[in-house]
């Protein structure tokens, strides 16, 4: 039991979620249907832990788990996969809109005040969640769906929290490209591949050169001369 359950909430843990997600994917393909993974993360949970203590944080997590369990459909899966992170597997999804509707229901269910008792006094907390959504296709695996939903969650948090975002089908490719570029940048410094070009600043009225800009170029060994926009955010 302990190998597949979270002792705090009684929910299934990450190990079980990954295993059952593989089973659900096979079933979805046999039924010519799809499933969706919702990766959920409590907003500003660290503030609760830091201000009210870990006991209050644990109490809040238990309430959140209970509320999540109460708003899902029969056949859906729920697990706690990290400190304040939960995963929902929605089976038999007709289209992405259905997954979005359920994410909206989850958000509405959570946004009721929770009374958290501490050793000193009771506090009321209004929990909100950010959600990343990934919908399966013929090439999906359990790791890829969890990865894509987690990446969408990060984007939802960057966009302001208390919202949901869908996985971008090209996001993983861009992440790999970025990682490859960062590795190449480190080597480029060691290999002295960066060169400086000086561009004159000209006064339009007279044509007089009044200064210069120092601009970095990357003499990439395979891609040639790269402008700053090609390797800087």
């Amino acid at each position: 039991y302990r190998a597949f359950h979270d002792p705090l909430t009684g929910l299934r843990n990450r190990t079980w979620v990954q295993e059952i997600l593989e089973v659900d994917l096979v079933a979805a393909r046999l039924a010519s249907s799809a499933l969706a993974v919702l990766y959920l993360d409590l907003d500003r949970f660290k503030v609760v832990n830091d201000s009210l203590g870990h006991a209050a944080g644990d109490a809040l997590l238990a309430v959140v788990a209970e509320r999540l369990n109460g708003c899902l459909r029969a056949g859906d899966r729920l697990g706690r996969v990290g400190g304040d992170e939960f995963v929902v597997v929605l089976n038999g999804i007709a289209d992405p809109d259905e997954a979005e509707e359920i994410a909206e229901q989850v958000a509405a269910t959570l946004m009721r005040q929770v009374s958290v008792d501490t050793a000193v006094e009771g506090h009321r907390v209004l929990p909100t969640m950010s959600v990343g959504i990934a919908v399966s296709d013929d090439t999906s695996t359990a790791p890829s769906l969890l990865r894509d939903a987690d990446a969408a969650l990060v984007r939802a948090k960057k966009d302001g929290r208390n919202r949901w975002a869908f996985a971008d089908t090209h996001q993983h490719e861009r992440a790999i490209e970025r990682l490859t570029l960062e590795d190449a940048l480190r080597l480029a410094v060691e290999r002295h591949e960066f060169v400086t070009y000086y561009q004159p600043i000209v006064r339009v009225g007279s044509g007089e050169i009044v200064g210069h800009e120092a601009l970095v170029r990357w003499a990439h060994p395979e891609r040639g001369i790269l402008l700053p926009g090609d390797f800087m955010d």
Side-chain angles (χ1 to χ4, degrees):
Y1 180 88
R2 290 180 179 177
F4 293 99
H5 288 78
D6 168 45
L8 174 64
T9 63
L11 297 179
R12 303 286 190 159
N13 62 15
R14 178 183 292 273
T15 300
W16 181 87
V17 167
Q18 290 176 329
E19 291 188 4
I20 201 64
L21 183 51
E22 292 284 12
V23 174
D24 288 344
L25 277 170
V26 172
R29 291 192 183 102
L30 290 174
S32 298
S33 64
L35 60 80
V37 170
L38 273 56
Y39 213 114
L40 310 99
D41 184 270
L42 273 175
D43 296 326
R44 299 183 176 88
F45 177 68
K46 188 175 184 297
V47 175
V48 175
N49 270 342
D50 291 346
S51 59
L52 303 181
H54 288 278
D58 287 350
L60 177 59
L61 289 173
V63 171
V64 167
E66 183 179 359
R67 289 185 181 179
L68 288 174
N69 223 1
C71 68
L72 298 180
R73 311 165 307 169
D76 291 338
R77 320 284 194 179
L78 171 62
R80 180 185 177 212
V81 296
D84 60 335
E85 294 180 338
F86 299 82
V87 164
V88 174
V89 180
L90 305 175
N91 284 297
I93 292 294
D95 54 51
D97 289 343
E98 187 174 357
E100 188 172 11
E101 289 172 5
I102 295 173
E104 187 172 358
Q105 292 170 11
V106 167
T109 300
L110 283 177
M111 287 187 65
R112 299 198 309 272
Q113 284 190 335
V114 179
S115 179
V116 178
D117 293 325
T118 68
V120 181
E121 58 183 346
H123 292 267
R124 300 191 70 81
V125 178
L126 183 66
T128 64
M129 268 192 164
S130 299
V131 184
I133 306 172
V135 180
S136 69
D137 58 28
D138 292 339
T139 65
S140 296
T141 64
S144 70
L145 277 173
L146 291 169
R147 177 200 66 212
D148 292 346
D150 190 18
L153 166 65
V154 172
R155 195 167 72 253
K157 282 191 169 294
K158 285 183 178 178
D159 289 343
R161 300 185 177 91
N162 191 24
R163 64 187 64 221
W164 53 88
F166 278 93
D168 182 345
T169 55
H170 301 293
Q171 188 165 351
H172 179 58
E173 288 81 358
R174 289 198 297 270
I176 294 296
E177 289 176 1
R178 181 182 180 86
L179 181 61
T180 302
L181 181 64
E182 288 178 358
D183 289 339
L185 277 169
R186 295 187 185 95
L187 288 175
V189 173
E190 296 173 6
R191 295 172 179 173
H192 305 288
E193 292 174 359
F194 292 104
V195 294
T196 304
Y197 282 73
Y198 293 94
Q199 177 172 296
I201 300 174
V202 180
R203 181 172 286 118
V204 176
S206 64
E208 178 188 2
I209 295 177
V210 294
H212 292 83
E213 288 181 305
L215 304 173
V216 174
R217 302 286 186 265
W218 182 4
H220 196 285
E222 297 173 359
R223 298 170 58 185
I225 297 295
L226 299 181
L227 301 179
D230 296 324
F231 57 91
M232 293 177 64
D233 288 333

